[in-house]
Amino acid sequence: MRILAAFATVFVFAASAAAQDPAAGYPSRAIRIYGQGTGSTADYLSRYVALKLTERWGQPVIVDSSAGAGGTIPTNAVAKSPPDGYNMVMGHIGPMVSAVTLYAKNLPYDPVRDFEPVTMVGQGVVVLVVQPAMPVSSALEFVAYAKQKGDLSYSSAGNGSASHLAGELLKKVTGIPLQHIPYRSAGNALTAMLTGEVQVSFLSPLTAHAQLKAGKVKALAVSSTTRFAGAPEIPSAAEAGIPGMDAKLWFGLFAPAKTPKPIVAKLNREIGDILRAPETQETFLKQGVAATPGTPE
């Protein structure tokens, strides 16, 4: 009886501790990260974090590559999921910022009210890329060529995405005519370039990395005032003669609102350790994005 009583005491104590700290037994099953479309920077970052978390925790971390409507469809799926830490989305400027204006009347979630930020993951730039056959070798030559042609089109990862806004910014600061063709994801926008559906795009260095190396697309400038450490061989927009072309990318993980703070803190700590590791910092930069962990605040 004394042994049974001792076991009962331990069980009650453990149950009480678990109730007070919901992160104590977390995770106990698979976690899902919505990565925003195959071939995108968000997808790559999601898969990298998922792999490292799986190695640390021994629980599967699955990446869901659902895309659409500038990233608002997978973002809404997470907003409506249970607040238990088992669903996250790799948010970015599209679904978390510009969608508020673009879909003001029918956006099914509120980026501030419906999410618990976990951590910033990465930051970067977009690259102005054109088809190799285009007879230009610089951004200024491209501007002159686009004005002369008057019928060029550019692909984006969807309405409100960074690639869409970068294209509109370039039109504004240079006065060139470009027709916007939105796709479901960055990977689809790149494919449109490769198949000749469009002549121009604005992609992250990571998305365009392999095709840039293979010479299947031509990079003219990155969307910043200085060169980006993840793509040092590409001139900045300021160097290329387009000083007003300054557009940054950012990616961060979000959980549903009301996810317990201890779980958010555990995720932030574990993912932050992964992002601060020299291996991660070096790997990300080689792919064209900078690892930038931060606090939920």
Side-chain angles (χ1 to χ4, degrees):
M1 290 297 292
R2 284 197 298 269
I3 293 173
L4 288 175
F7 273 122
T9 301
V10 170
F11 176 80
V12 171
F13 178 80
S16 176
Q20 293 175 9
D21 181 9
Y26 172 87
S28 59
R29 54 186 171 85
I31 297 171
R32 186 179 301 272
I33 298 176
Y34 285 76
Q36 302 278 6
T38 302
S40 67
T41 302
D43 182 66
Y44 173 85
L45 298 177
S46 298
R47 293 184 185 282
Y48 188 96
V49 170
L51 175 63
K52 295 300 182 181
L53 284 177
T54 298
E55 291 173 354
R56 280 174 169 249
W57 286 342
Q59 291 288 351
V61 181
I62 303 163
V63 175
D64 188 312
S65 296
S66 299
T72 60
I73 292 175
T75 303
N76 184 51
V78 173
K80 304 298 190 289
S81 66
D84 53 13
Y86 289 94
N87 288 283
M88 292 184 286
V89 63
M90 187 65 74
H92 54 82
I93 191 172
M96 292 300 184
V97 182
S98 58
V100 177
T101 298
L102 288 171
Y103 306 103
K105 294 183 179 180
N106 56 8
L107 188 66
Y109 60 85
D110 183 304
V112 175
R113 181 195 63 212
D114 295 334
F115 294 93
E116 293 287 347
V118 175
T119 181
M120 187 72 79
V121 174
Q123 296 182 0
V125 293
V126 294
V127 184
L128 166 59
V129 295
V130 299
Q131 291 178 330
M134 190 177 290
V136 301
S137 57
S138 70
L140 287 181
E141 287 182 5
F142 165 73
V143 170
Y145 180 77
K147 288 180 177 179
Q148 175 192 348
K149 291 289 289 183
D151 62 352
L152 298 182
S153 57
Y154 77 94
S155 62
S156 81
N159 289 321
S161 64
S163 49
H164 173 205
L165 298 181
E168 296 306 306
L169 177 60
L170 182 66
K171 288 166 62 176
K172 181 176 181 179
V173 300
T174 63
I176 62 175
L178 284 177
Q179 182 183 1
H180 174 224
I181 310 295
Y183 290 83
R184 285 181 60 85
S185 70
N188 295 140
L190 174 60
T191 299
M193 276 279 296
L194 300 176
T195 58
E197 293 178 23
V198 299
Q199 302 81 38
V200 187
S201 195
F202 301 85
L203 303 169
S204 78
L206 194 155
T207 299
H209 180 78
Q211 307 306 330
L212 285 170
K213 295 292 185 185
K216 294 184 177 180
V217 295
K218 181 167 31 178
L220 299 181
V222 296
S223 62
S224 57
T225 56
T226 59
R227 294 199 180 206
F228 178 58
E233 71 283 4
I234 306 174
S236 69
E239 286 181 86
I242 315 174
M245 185 66 187
D246 189 13
K248 301 294 194 306
L249 295 176
W250 62 262
F251 301 89
L253 280 167
F254 294 80
K258 298 183 181 178
T259 298
K261 296 294 184 184
I263 289 179
V264 172
K266 186 171 186 176
L267 284 165
N268 176 269
R269 182 173 63 253
E270 295 283 341
I271 297 170
D273 287 347
I274 292 168
L275 296 174
R276 281 185 287 271
E279 175 194 3
T280 301
Q281 298 273 330
E282 182 179 351
T283 300
F284 278 21
L285 271 182
K286 284 182 178 178
Q287 294 293 328
V289 66
T292 55
T295 66
E297 290 74 18

